[in-house]
């Protein structure tokens, strides 16, 4: 049926694209409304079916199928180069930016396939935010960093932006430290503060899901503890998927764990169960430090 | 004893290298010294006030006036037209090469720009005089054969490669992580280019502009050929003008005897030229070094 409509021309295609995105927004609105009684909501935020990711001839992710539960922290662990970052990036289509990356399979976000040609990756990324390994604030002021996501959505209401900036900084446990110097350059902050600023920046656009790619790997233990505490609080409001090298961290903060090895999702389940796997299994050996 | 000869050798080598290093410095100081010496001789006969505020420049006429303003307006007029063309085009081109073009297009564009940069300025001059001016005369009938707009436009094309490659470097220096962060927040490519990369690389881009301006101000052959030799205190781009550099050409090629006032006047205007380009270069250097993350 879609093919028929597409043949009618660009305008219809554009309309369809709009309505498709609106559907995605409606679903999102539902998830916001459902915050209080989230047990009525759908159980899975992402459903991934037969996902394969290739770079040139190298296959980074091999035939992964998994459903990621909503409103918990899901940790992705595994040895370096096992495809966990590629897997994470595929969920907000950041892989599109890598030349020669190819992807097959389906990723359903609230039931909508995000790799459908009608889906705009720009709008998707406004719903699925991302925080990177290295803190990467823009070379602007602290305020402008957090407000950026709103400004690119053409929000002009200054009072609203100021309010949202304050709220986001509070949500990221950064407000008390920076409230007197919002106009100062963000690059003057410490590494841990910069990373929390990046989280605040991502939160300001009200994402549905936050993808974190080893957010603590360049931070000291104190800054790490602060971010973990923050994530614990945030998981009530947004879905969190975190890639981490730190097994203790995964054990501490996540409810679900996925274990990747050489591109395959070897194991996925509640954290407790995964961490109790015997040393006979690959996961058990990795977790106990026998390999990896 | 052996050690001693070794040390002497080292000393001599060091001295030679040091001399080579100092060579460019001595040359620069020497040129500056001669220019400023002749300039002081010039100002013994002409008052600084007349030089700076008179609006007539007629050193070769029987009634001599030495007001440098017509030459400065002529110079800035041509440079201004050139920058008006090179700045937007150059920055947009650099953004295109950095953010939009794929590797294949880049591979073609870069060498083409380098070819553009390698064309001798005399060719540009004749291009302005014999191609651009006649074409413009069809559009603007009142345009005279020598004018500021035609060499201005061609000079814009001439300094374009410089603006593009320097801004391209500045854009390339913006960390990739910053772009990724912007994309991850849902920016379109346009927004990444104009709200992240351009502001982040702004100091580098302005440095590129400054260097391009000082190149435009110092450019000689193009304006000597196509802009005319008639000093005019005007901002009208349609009439013949004279720039500082083309005045220097006129005097040095003519039969002006050494030691006359007209001869010394070229050193005075050269000082002005030197000061203007020096200021722009210093600003550019300052900005380029402030480009840090």
């Amino acid at each position: 049926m879609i093919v028929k409509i597409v043949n009618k021309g660009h305008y219809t295609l554009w309309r369809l694209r709009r309505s498709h995105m609106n559907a995605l927004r409606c679903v999102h609105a539902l998830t916001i409304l459902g915050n209080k009684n989230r047990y009525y909501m759908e159980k899975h935020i992402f459903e991934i079916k037969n996902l394969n990711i290739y770079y040139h001839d190298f296959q980074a992710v091999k035939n992964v199928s998994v459903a990621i539960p909503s409103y918990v922290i899901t940790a992705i662990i595994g040895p370096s180069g096992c495809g966990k970052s590629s897997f994470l990036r595929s969920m907000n289509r950041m892989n599109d930016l890598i030349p020669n990356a190819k992807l097959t399979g389906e990723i359903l976000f609230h039931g909508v396939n995000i790799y459908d040609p009608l889906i705009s990756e720009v709008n998707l990324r406004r719903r699925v935010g991302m925080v990177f390994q290295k803190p990467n604030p823009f070379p602007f002021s602290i305020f402008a960093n957090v407000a950026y996501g709103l400004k690119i959505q053409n929000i002009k209401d200054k009072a609203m932006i100021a309010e949202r900036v304050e709220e986001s900084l509070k949500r990221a446990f950064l407000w008390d430290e920076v409230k007197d110097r919002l106009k100062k350059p963000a690059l003057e902050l410490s590494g841990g503060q910069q990373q929390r600023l990046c989280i605040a920046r991502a939160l300001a656009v009200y994402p549905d899901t936050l993808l974190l790619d080893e957010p603590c790997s360049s931070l000291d233990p104190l800054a790490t503890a602060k971010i973990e505490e923050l994530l614990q609080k945030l998981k009530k409001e947004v879905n969190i998927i975190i890639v981490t090298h730190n097994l203790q961290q995964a054990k501490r903060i996540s409810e679900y764990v996925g274990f990747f090895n050489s591109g395959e999702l070897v194991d996925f389940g509640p954290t407790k169960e995964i961490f109790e796997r015997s040393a006979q299994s690959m996961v058990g050996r990795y977790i106990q430090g026998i390999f990896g | 004893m052996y050690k001693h000869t070794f040390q002497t050798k080292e000393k001599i080598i060091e001295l030679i290298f040091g001399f080579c290093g100092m060579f460019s410095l001595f040359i620069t100081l020497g040129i500056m010294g001669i220019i400023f010496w002749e300039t002081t001789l010039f100002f013994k006969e002409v008052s600084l006030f007349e030089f700076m505020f008179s609006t007539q420049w007629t050193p070769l006429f029987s009634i001599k006036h030495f007001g440098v303003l017509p030459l400065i307006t002529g110079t800035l007029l041509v440079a201004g037209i050139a920058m008006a063309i090179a700045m937007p085009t150059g920055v947009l081109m650099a953004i295109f090469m950095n953010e939009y073009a794929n590797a294949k297009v880049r591979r073609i564009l870069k060498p083409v720009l380098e070819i553009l940069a390698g064309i001798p300025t005399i060719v540009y001059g004749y291009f302005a005089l014999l191609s651009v001016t006649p074409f413009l005369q069809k559009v603007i009938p009142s345009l005279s054969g020598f004018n500021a707009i035609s060499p201005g436009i061609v000079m814009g094309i001439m300094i374009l490669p410089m603006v593009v490659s320097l801004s391209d470097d500045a854009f390339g220096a913006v960390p990739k992580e910053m772009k990724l962060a912007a994309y991850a927040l849902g920016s379109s490519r346009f927004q990444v280019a104009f709200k992240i990369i351009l502001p982040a690389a702004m100091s580098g881009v302005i440095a590129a502009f400054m260097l391009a301006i000082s190149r435009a101000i110092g450019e000689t052959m193009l304006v000597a050929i196509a802009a005319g030799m008639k000093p005019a205190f005007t901002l009208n781009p349609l009439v013949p003008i004279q720039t500082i550099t083309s005045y220097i050409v006129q005097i040095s090629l003519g039969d002006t005897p050494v030691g006359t006032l007209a001869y010394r006047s070229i050193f005075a205007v050269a000082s002005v030229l030197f000061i203007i380009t020096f200021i722009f270069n210093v600003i550019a250097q300052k900005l380029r070094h402030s480009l840090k993350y």
Side-chain angles (χ1 to χ4, degrees):
Chain A
M1 191 206 98
I2 285 178
V3 174
K4 263 188 195 162
I5 299 172
V6 167
N7 285 341
K8 281 186 182 169
H10 285 292
Y11 181 65
T12 324
L13 189 71
W14 178 77
R15 293 262 313 256
L16 197 67
R17 189 180 174 131
R18 291 283 298 238
S19 66
H20 215 77
M21 264 332 288
N22 282 343
L24 201 58
R25 285 214 185 97
C26 289
V27 177
H28 176 62
L30 274 178
T31 58
I32 291 178
L33 289 174
N35 264 352
K36 281 177 204 147
N37 36 12
R38 60 194 169 97
Y39 297 105
Y40 299 109
M41 288 180 354
E42 53 197 314
K43 276 168 77 182
H44 297 118
I45 168 79
F46 277 107
E47 276 176 72
I48 290 140
K49 294 174 185 169
N50 306 322
L51 179 72
N52 291 290
I53 299 173
Y54 307 85
Y55 302 117
H56 284 290
D57 304 329
F58 174 71
Q59 186 169 6
V61 172
K62 293 172 189 160
N63 204 25
V64 169
S65 296
V66 65
I68 294 176
S70 40
Y71 294 100
V72 293
I73 295 181
T74 306
I76 312 283
I77 58 171
S80 303
C82 66
K84 53 192 193 307
S85 284
S86 298
F87 174 72
L88 191 77
R89 280 200 299 269
S90 70
M91 284 190 274
N92 70 345
R93 292 186 57 172
M94 288 298 279
N95 270 347
D96 292 15
L97 299 172
I98 300 171
N100 299 311
K102 213 185 93 197
L103 183 142
T104 62
E106 274 188 352
I107 297 182
L108 303 183
F109 173 57
H110 292 297
V112 179
N113 181 14
I114 59 172
Y115 282 89
D116 189 304
L118 297 172
I119 288 287
S120 126
E121 73 276 18
V122 168
N123 281 337
L124 171 73
R125 290 182 196 134
R126 290 174 184 176
R127 301 270 57 85
V128 185
M130 192 159 195
V131 175
F132 297 83
Q133 187 170 357
K134 212 179 125 203
N136 53 359
F138 301 131
F140 312 147
S141 71
I142 294 169
F143 185 91
N145 260 278
V146 185
Y148 175 81
L150 302 169
K151 291 215 172 114
I152 57 168
Q153 296 190 23
N154 272 327
I155 295 173
K156 300 243 158 65
D157 183 351
K158 281 193 177 158
M160 182 195 165
I161 290 177
E163 196 181 297
R164 195 80 82 80
V165 168
E166 182 179 340
E167 178 200 299
S168 309
L169 285 170
K170 277 179 179 160
R171 285 172 83 190
F173 292 174
L174 193 60
W175 177 249
D176 292 332
E177 292 160 54
V178 301
K179 65 183 171 196
D180 303 322
R181 46 177 178 150
L182 290 175
K183 298 285 169 219
K184 289 274 168 63
L187 292 166
E188 283 177 9
L189 296 174
S190 72
Q193 287 173 327
Q194 285 188 12
Q195 195 61 299
R196 275 180 283 143
L197 180 70
C198 293
I199 294 175
R201 183 174 66 185
L203 287 174
V205 295
Y206 286 162
D208 177 282
T209 304
L210 212 52
L211 309 172
L212 298 110
D213 192 355
E214 298 179 35
C216 302
S217 62
S218 63
L219 304 181
D220 65 67
L222 271 174
T224 303
K226 216 156 192 178
I227 286 188
E228 285 179 13
E229 188 192 345
L230 161 64
L231 294 180
Q232 287 295 349
K233 196 203 71 172
L234 281 179
K235 74 178 179 191
K236 298 182 186 105
E237 299 154 17
V238 291
N239 305 293
I240 291 173
I241 305 172
I242 177 171
V243 163
T244 177
H245 265 303
N246 183 339
L247 294 171
Q248 291 312 309
Q249 183 176 57
K251 198 174 177 181
R252 278 196 300 269
I253 64 172
S254 69
E255 276 85 355
Y256 279 80
V257 167
F259 173 68
F260 269 81
N261 190 33
S262 57
E264 285 171 65
L265 182 63
V266 180
D267 212 340
F268 185 87
T271 307
K272 261 191 187 163
E273 282 179 31
I274 298 280
F275 274 83
E276 278 163 11
R277 290 274 196 270
S278 72
Q280 306 307 310
S281 70
M282 191 188 278
V283 194
R285 279 187 292 148
Y286 179 70
I287 286 167
Q288 290 170 23
I290 299 168
F291 93 97
Chain B
M1 215 265 264
Y2 183 73
K3 195 179 166 197
H4 176 74
T5 46
F6 182 73
Q7 276 180 342
T8 328
K9 222 167 140 191
E10 276 296 287
K11 273 261 155 64
I12 293 167
I13 289 170
E14 202 182 307
L15 219 73
I16 293 169
F17 283 3
F19 181 75
C20 292
M22 287 288 145
F23 192 66
S24 63
L25 185 69
F26 290 144
I27 295 289
T28 313
L29 288 178
I31 292 174
M32 276 168 67
I34 291 169
I35 288 177
F36 287 128
W37 172 244
E38 295 282 351
T39 304
T40 51
L41 292 180
F42 173 78
F43 281 118
K44 274 182 184 157
E45 292 174 59
V46 177
S47 79
L48 189 64
F49 185 83
E50 188 195 344
F51 186 70
M52 282 170 70
F53 296 105
S54 165
T55 57
Q56 279 183 3
W57 182 259
T58 54
L60 299 177
F61 294 0
S62 48
I63 305 164
K64 294 185 195 303
H65 288 287
F66 291 95
V68 79
L69 282 176
L71 294 185
I72 290 184
T73 54
T75 305
L76 293 183
L77 182 61
V78 177
I81 294 168
M83 290 312 287
I85 286 169
M87 282 194 297
T89 323
V91 169
L92 291 183
M93 245 169 124
I95 284 179
F96 172 76
M97 296 219 305
N98 237 287
E99 273 307 290
Y100 287 84
N102 55 29
K104 213 172 165 185
V105 177
R106 257 183 93 94
R107 267 207 301 278
I108 298 168
L109 261 179
K110 272 239 159 184
V112 169
L113 276 171
E114 272 154 29
I115 291 171
L116 208 57
I119 297 176
T121 55
I122 184 119
V123 177
Y124 278 115
Y126 272 97
F127 176 61
L129 184 66
L130 303 177
S131 305
V132 178
T133 302
F135 172 76
L136 285 175
Q137 273 170 335
K138 280 179 197 153
V139 187
I140 317 163
S142 65
L143 188 69
S144 61
F146 293 107
N147 56 65
I149 190 163
S150 166
I153 291 169
V154 175
M155 193 189 282
I157 298 166
M158 193 184 83
I159 58 178
L160 188 64
M162 190 178 182
V163 176
V164 175
S165 78
L166 289 175
S167 344
D168 189 42
D169 290 349
F171 293 147
V174 176
K176 205 173 133 239
E177 290 83 24
M178 235 173 247
K179 290 188 220 173
L180 287 181
Y183 277 119
L185 284 165
S187 315
S188 61
R189 251 199 226 184
F190 181 82
Q191 285 166 333
V192 172
F194 285 91
K195 299 205 162 160
I196 299 296
I197 297 179
L198 192 57
M202 207 52 189
S203 56
V205 172
I206 292 173
F209 290 167
M210 293 297 157
L211 289 175
I213 290 175
S214 73
R215 167 94 199 272
I217 288 171
E219 173 50 36
T220 309
M221 202 43 91
L222 180 50
V223 281
I225 290 172
M229 288 283 180
K230 195 175 151 218
F233 185 57
T234 174
L235 286 177
N236 179 4
L238 305 180
V239 297
I241 50 109
Q242 188 166 39
T243 66
I244 295 176
T245 49
S246 55
Y247 172 71
I248 297 175
V249 170
Q250 187 187 5
I251 296 298
S252 11
L253 291 184
D255 42 11
T256 315
V258 174
T260 59
L261 196 54
Y263 166 82
R264 283 188 180 134
S265 71
I266 65 173
F267 289 95
V269 294
S271 306
V272 173
L273 193 65
F274 178 82
I275 290 165
I276 297 175
T277 50
F278 182 75
I279 290 170
F280 279 120
N281 281 338
V282 167
I283 296 173
Q285 284 302 324
K286 279 252 153 80
L287 286 169
R288 289 192 71 172
H289 288 299
S290 71
L291 193 71
K292 275 176 199 146
Y293 296 102

